[in-house]
Amino acid sequence: MVKKYLRLAVTIFTLINQSIAQEKTLKNQIALFGSFYTLYGSGDIPGFVMSAEYGGKFKKRLEFLPSVTFTSHFEENRHFTTYNGVTYDQKIRFITSGFQADLKFAYVPIDKKLKLKLIVGPIVRLQYDNYPSGGYSANFPALTGYPGILYEFYEDDRTGNKFKELNIGYIVGPSVDYMFKNNWFISTRFLIQSDTNADFIASGFIGFGKRF
């Protein structure tokens, strides 16, 4: 199944790039994007995303913008224990990170010095997290008699903590680019995505690029 998705992605990328190469009058672009902020899950897990993108037009108002993207999100559950007048920080932290290939298409209704794009496309994502696969519980001193929190972590043998298989999904959102001299531009985007593992990510982008 993984090889099938990879072959499909390579085929789409090759066909679109052939179309771009045949259109000599339209400018391609290269851009590297980072984000101020991104949210994961139900909207309460912060993190960051970085994406390197290369693409170009293959029709007057259509662009193909493939990219590779890395995301990392982190959360902490804060617990404190006071023993003999001293307060101990017993918070625990969890991280979710992923790599993905974005095969984005953009419709460009406004293509002037200020460019408006409406982006949509499939993604192929590989993700890892350090959450206990079966969840966890926090046992407090009132329950255990131990002067501190005791955590219990549960493992689910069906999954375990490992790289998950490749998941497929979608990414969608608007982009506004402003062109400067020498074909440099600044781009702002708001993109949301989800996949077959039910991972939801909302990202606010700002980045720079150049058309050539």
Side-chain angles (χ1 to χ4, degrees):
M1 184 64 71
V2 171
K3 291 183 178 179
K4 178 181 178 181
Y5 291 147
L6 290 176
R7 286 197 299 266
L8 177 62
V10 170
T11 300
I12 294 174
F13 181 83
T14 301
L15 291 175
I16 297 300
N17 272 298
Q18 288 175 350
S19 297
I20 293 173
Q22 292 171 0
E23 183 53 81
K24 301 298 184 181
T25 63
L26 298 176
K27 291 183 178 180
N28 294 338
Q29 68 183 38
I30 185 169
L32 177 65
F33 294 98
S35 76
F36 286 132
Y37 201 65
T38 180
L39 296 174
Y40 172 84
S42 60
D44 57 354
I45 307 177
F48 70 91
V49 56
M50 296 188 67
S51 184
E53 177 182 283
Y54 173 83
K57 290 184 177 180
F58 62 98
K59 295 293 183 182
K60 183 177 180 180
R61 295 197 178 275
L62 293 177
E63 295 181 354
F64 179 53
L65 304 172
S67 61
V68 289
T69 300
F70 171 73
T71 66
S72 185
H73 296 83
F74 52 89
E75 68 171 322
E76 62 181 20
N77 291 339
R78 307 187 70 186
H79 297 295
F80 298 90
T81 298
T82 300
Y83 181 64
N84 289 337
V86 179
T87 298
Y88 297 91
D89 182 352
Q90 290 194 277
K91 59 177 172 282
I92 54 177
R93 299 176 176 87
F94 298 112
I95 296 175
T96 299
S97 299
F99 287 95
Q100 65 190 54
D102 309 331
L103 301 175
K104 304 185 300 296
F105 294 85
Y107 173 66
V108 188
I110 300 176
D111 191 3
K112 299 182 182 298
K113 190 170 185 179
L114 186 70
K115 176 185 289 191
L116 173 65
K117 301 178 186 177
L118 303 177
I119 295 172
V120 65
I123 62 173
V124 182
R125 179 174 174 83
L126 178 66
Q127 182 170 287
Y128 177 82
D129 64 60
N130 68 342
Y131 285 83
S133 57
Y136 76 97
S137 64
N139 299 310
F140 292 88
L143 177 65
T144 64
Y146 178 79
I149 299 172
L150 294 176
Y151 293 102
E152 289 186 79
F153 297 92
Y154 309 109
E155 298 299 328
D156 187 338
D157 293 335
R158 295 171 298 177
T159 57
N161 292 327
K162 60 182 181 181
F163 278 103
K164 300 173 182 177
E165 291 186 1
L166 285 176
N167 296 291
I168 59 173
Y170 68 88
I171 190 167
V172 62
S175 170
V176 177
D177 298 352
Y178 182 81
M179 301 297 303
F180 295 95
K181 293 182 179 180
N182 300 319
N183 289 322
W184 287 95
F185 66 90
I186 186 171
S187 180
T188 58
R189 298 180 180 181
F190 177 75
L191 302 176
I192 61 173
Q193 69 177 68
S194 188
D195 58 35
T196 50
N197 195 54
D199 292 306
F200 177 84
I201 299 176
S203 301
F205 284 86
I206 185 168
F208 297 91
K210 183 176 177 61
R211 300 181 71 184
F212 58 92

